[in-house]
Amino acid sequence: MPRMGLDISVILLRAAEFVNEKGLDGISLGELAKQLNIRTPSLYNHIDSLAALKQKLAIYSLNRLYERMLQAAVGRTGDEAVYALSEAYVQFVRVNPGLYDAALRAPDPKDPELHLAQNQIVDLVVKILSFYNMQDDKVLHTVRGLRSILHGFASIESVGGFGLPLDLDVTFRMMIDTFLAGIHAQMKQESHK
């Protein structure tokens, strides 16, 4: 019988805190049960396995990332919206490194719920980029480019890969400036055709 007050949202919240502190590879059902002050078999009332927990963490992570990006972009358009959602992305990874890792290493990449969580982020970025009037495939290529920039920067930063004593926020801003300059140059080219 499930413990009163213990549900999947409580489990995921504690699991997220744990992976942010110790890393995704450090979590086990036994360790999570200990963190929740329950016996390991009690977790099986809510979760089938460690793989199932990691899958739910991946979806949970993507949903939280989407919420942060959406919140940052609301009321903004164009360059301002791109900066806001980009900063929200990188800040999410800074605060949630283990949770972000979980999103990248989902045990079942074909899970429809995972795809839904991934697609809502893509749809949000497509909507933001629609300001630039890109045609069909071009907007998706641009989404891929922005995702690569954000993931690359956040991933390198999270492992301490930027060793020089320069302000990372300045680097990040320059990177987004360059990305947007490319979009504006393409728009100008398109308008001259």
Side-chain angles (χ1 to χ4, degrees):
M1 175 160 223
R3 180 179 166 207
M4 293 298 286
L6 183 66
D7 61 17
I8 194 63
S9 63
V10 171
I11 292 168
L12 288 174
L13 183 60
R14 184 60 201 123
E17 291 168 354
F18 182 87
V19 298
N20 283 334
E21 293 168 19
K22 309 276 185 183
L24 184 62
D25 293 329
I27 198 162
S28 68
L29 293 181
E31 186 59 41
L32 181 58
K34 190 166 125 183
Q35 298 291 317
L36 292 163
N37 293 317
I38 61 172
R39 293 180 306 118
T40 304
S42 298
L43 277 176
Y44 289 105
N45 291 317
H46 306 279
I47 221 109
D48 294 337
S49 64
L50 181 59
L53 173 64
K54 288 181 177 181
Q55 189 73 19
K56 288 191 179 299
L57 276 173
I59 295 163
Y60 179 83
S61 175
L62 290 166
N63 286 330
R64 299 297 81 73
L65 176 59
Y66 168 75
E67 289 166 5
R68 300 273 165 64
M69 291 171 71
L70 177 64
Q71 185 178 38
V74 166
R76 295 180 165 99
T77 59
D79 292 0
E80 184 184 5
V82 172
Y83 282 116
L85 73 84
S86 297
E87 289 168 1
Y89 186 107
V90 168
Q91 189 60 31
F92 177 84
V93 180
R94 286 174 176 167
V95 174
N96 300 286
L99 203 51
Y100 183 69
D101 189 27
L104 300 175
R105 296 180 8 190
D108 181 5
K110 295 179 182 173
D111 179 347
E113 196 176 352
L114 181 73
H115 280 279
L116 185 63
Q118 292 166 330
N119 288 340
Q120 69 184 353
I121 293 172
V122 172
D123 292 345
L124 173 62
V125 179
V126 166
K127 186 174 180 179
I128 296 298
L129 293 176
S130 69
F131 173 85
Y132 301 103
N133 295 318
M134 290 180 233
Q135 302 301 313
D136 305 319
D137 289 351
K138 194 169 200 170
V139 73
L140 293 177
H141 290 301
T142 306
V143 169
R144 284 180 177 170
L146 182 58
R147 178 183 180 207
S148 298
I149 289 167
L150 298 177
H151 171 70
F153 183 88
S155 297
I156 293 169
E157 181 184 31
S158 71
V159 297
F162 295 120
L164 297 176
L166 293 170
D167 187 331
L168 290 176
D169 291 331
V170 172
T171 303
F172 181 73
R173 183 77 182 193
M174 286 176 62
M175 213 171 44
I176 301 302
D177 287 344
T178 304
F179 173 79
L180 289 170
I183 289 176
H184 289 288
Q186 287 181 7
M187 287 173 56
K188 194 172 183 179
Q189 237 176 10
E190 292 291 322
S191 69
H192 287 28
K193 285 185 178 179

